[in-house]
Amino acid sequence: MTNTPTTRMNMIQAINSAMDVMMDRDPAVIVMGEDVGYFGGVFRATAGLQAKYGKTRVFDTPITECGIIGVAVGMGAYGLRPVPEIQFADYIYPALDQLVSEAARLRYRSAGEFIAPITVRSPFGGGIFGGQTHSQSPEGIFTHVSGIKTVIPSTPYDAKGLLIAAIEDNDPTLFFEPKRIYNGPFDGHWDRPTQNWSQHPAGAVPEGYYKIPLGRANVVREGEALTILVYGTMVHVASAVVAEAGVDAEIIDLRTLVPLDIETIEASVKKTGRCMIIHEATRTGGFGAELSALVQERCFYHLEAPIERVTGFDTPYPHSLEWAYFPGPVRIGEALKKVMKD
Amino acid sequence: MPSDHPGANLPPLSLYVPEPRFRPGDTVDFTQVALPPAGQARRPDTAEPAATFTDLAYDLIRVLDADGQAVGAWNPRLSPDTLRAMLRSMVTVRAFDERMFRAQRQGKTSFYMKCTGEEAVAVSAAFALDRDDMCFPSYRQQGLLVARGWSLIDMMNQIYSNKGDRLQGKQLPIMYSVRDASFFSISGNLTTQYPQAVGWAMASAAKGDTRIAAAWCGEGSTAEGDFHSACTFASVYRAPVIFNVVNNQWAISSFSGFAGAESTTFAARAIGYGIAGLRVDGNDALAVYAATAWAAERARTNQGPTLIEHFTYRVEGHSTSDDPGQYRSAGEASAWPLGDPITRLKDHLIAIGEWDEDAHAAQDKEVAETVRAAQREAEANGILGHGLHQPLDTLFDGVFEEMPWHLREQQAQMLAEETASGRPWARK
């Protein structure tokens, strides 16, 4: 997709590179959020950007999420292309009104007179002993909102390409970054040494501009026995479980939840006849429910078993019992047996 | 109540719940409303730090005195032509409101909101701002559009959601969006436009532009969290923005006490943020103009934001869905001590020999005819509920820049269902 040289990057570096590339290409791109300026972000995602592009393009904000998003919407109306950061997805709720009532509807309600071409970056997901307010996966709240796109990468390569696409996109986009895999893929075995991206093929990231189109899934493993629909950290957990179980699963990393790559999903389930959906977010009303309904509607006569969902439980994210809550190898393994039984 | 807790012998606490002074049937007495005489308030240099004129946040800037003369340091010394143009805009707004209110009562549209008594707040501000300064209004600043010469027919088309409606019937009546008049898309969600105005102003400053932003909300809406976030952002980045708080005493049925008015002024909110705060007689077109011009100069010279409280009164119901007779005394509007903004500007023009009752009556007639003619033209484009004014499939336009598959599917499904239903809409 690109001719520029490739460098080994972790996901943080890839995200940083995406913003660097876009700020260099487009003077309308600005970065803002709590601690993103001089300090470079609590996860270092914006490190070096203020020094390179100046304080009027990369700046720290007051601690007010509704203000951050509201201001970004106004900047978008002016003609800028803001990339605001919400420090943790768990803290995006104060900005819900600005996201749901304003950013998502601005184009529709003004018949295109004003748009909100903003990309909201936010670390999300668990697996880091983050407890109740540093672990949540609120994507289902936003996939329910018409007018917002929701993107979740699972590798450094995807993170950069998808973030560049999101920043260039003229619709408001939520870009949820699975912080568990910022530094390396996570197979769900919390009790084993962690890996880093340096050994992973998707840790090779082009230095320059490239993008991965929004709305296209990635088949990370082709297979015939069942289809696994997954995104974010769970892509790697699912892949590890499948490898250990020796099941010929087709694993689809959705990458974009809205708009969804329904063609890839439909073709796969029609081929395999079985479907499992995995996400960290709580079960009831989660995005898995939408996926399950779509597969049931479109692939009903091809299904050989009920669609299986492996998700976080319908509880707040616990601290000490994290590995009981997290849909890890044990829970996915059991679900795999169940869906393959008939 | 537990009687055995450690503080059981202390006097009981009591919860204070504010109550307006007058309810339906009560005789109104506004003598407690402090009204400093016109011309008394000092006019500081716009470059002074906000902390040096906190007095003005508790004062009331007034230019027009009881004799209709413009007095004091805030007299903007406008030309008679400008004064007459402002008066004409205000008269037009009121005539427009009357016609559209009646149109709603006649079932021609679903909803309307008047700004009766508050015409000066928007009209004078529009005259004091440059036309390309971006306005982030609430739903009661139709005067901005009228003062900027925007088409009444276009506004009515939106109210009727007819085939001339640029917003394709997607928005509730009066939720205008007029980019060409630097009038931001109105949202139903209160005060969301405040941080947006700050963002627009910050963007203008970051780009080295010369344009400023202005936002409006009611006193009731200052209680929203967005008001706080906007003031914080505006102060931190010294954004070139003007915050207007239209204190018309009422937020639907809740009197201003429920937004904190019993304890302080709304202009005084500015002090804690380090923002310049002015409190203005909102029924005094010259005071509103002067305060806005002062704030605009302050913003344009990189001295930062200003918050202006416009002290006024909401003469009519909140909307066509509201009956104020249920919660406030019918005598309030006529007893309001700041009078009527149109009458006061008219009296001023007459007092300085630049207008007379005959000219005013003739203008009233002429404006009424202009509004009626606009209404006829707009209604030729259709009224709400009478026929299909937008093709059915436009329902899906503009959710995203490009329509994703799931919306295309839903669109096709809707069209198929309509066709199957045999309803006349499907054949359009």
Side-chain angles (χ1 to χ4, degrees), chain A residues 187-271:
Chain A
D187 62 9
H189 291 287
W190 53 274
D191 47 351
R192 296 182 193 169
T194 53
Q195 306 162 276
N196 63 46
W197 286 111
S198 63
Q199 308 304 317
H200 193 284
V205 179
E207 289 170 13
Y209 172 91
Y210 69 98
K211 62 178 176 176
I212 295 171
L214 305 185
R216 300 252 189 90
N218 182 29
V219 180
V220 296
R221 184 192 190 283
E222 290 188 8
E224 304 288 332
L226 87 155
T227 299
I228 297 179
L229 304 180
V230 66
Y231 49 89
T233 300
M234 302 315 295
V235 171
H236 305 285
V237 180
S239 298
V241 175
V242 162
E244 286 161 22
V247 179
D248 186 23
E250 182 144 300
I251 301 173
I252 300 178
D253 177 0
L254 298 177
R255 297 199 292 203
T256 305
L257 305 192
V258 177
L260 185 67
D261 185 350
I262 194 67
E263 283 179 19
T264 299
I265 294 170
E266 204 175 321
S268 177
V269 177
K270 283 180 176 170
K271 177 178 73 174

Side-chain angles (χ1 to χ4, degrees), chain A residues 18-62:
Chain A
M19 286 185 276
D20 188 5
V21 165
M22 287 311 295
M23 294 195 77
D24 187 53
R25 284 171 70 96
D26 184 353
V29 175
I30 65 110
V31 167
M32 59 191 278
E34 297 157 16
D35 305 300
V36 308
Y38 182 86
F39 179 55
V42 295
F43 290 104
R44 316 306 302 151
T46 56
L49 295 179
Q50 188 181 73
K52 187 167 177 184
Y53 297 101
K55 289 200 294 183
T56 59
R57 292 190 65 197
V58 182
F59 53 88
D60 294 312
T61 64

Side-chain angles (χ1 to χ4, degrees), chain A residues 4 54 83 187 211 338:
Chain A
T4 64
V83 186
D187 62 9
K211 62 178 176 176
K338 190 176 162 196

Side-chain angles (χ1 to χ4, degrees), chain B residues 91 359-370 372:
Chain B
V91 165
H360 195 76
Q363 176 172 274
D364 274 348
K365 223 174 136 188
E366 191 193 330
V367 164
E369 182 44 46
T370 302
R372 260 199 305 276

Side-chain angles (χ1 to χ4, degrees), chain A residues 137-140 231 279-283 286-287 310-314 325 327:
Chain A
S137 299
E139 68 273 16
Y231 49 89
H279 60 59
E280 282 183 72
T282 50
R283 185 184 197 82
F287 192 66
V310 188
T311 71
F313 295 120
D314 284 338
Y325 174 96

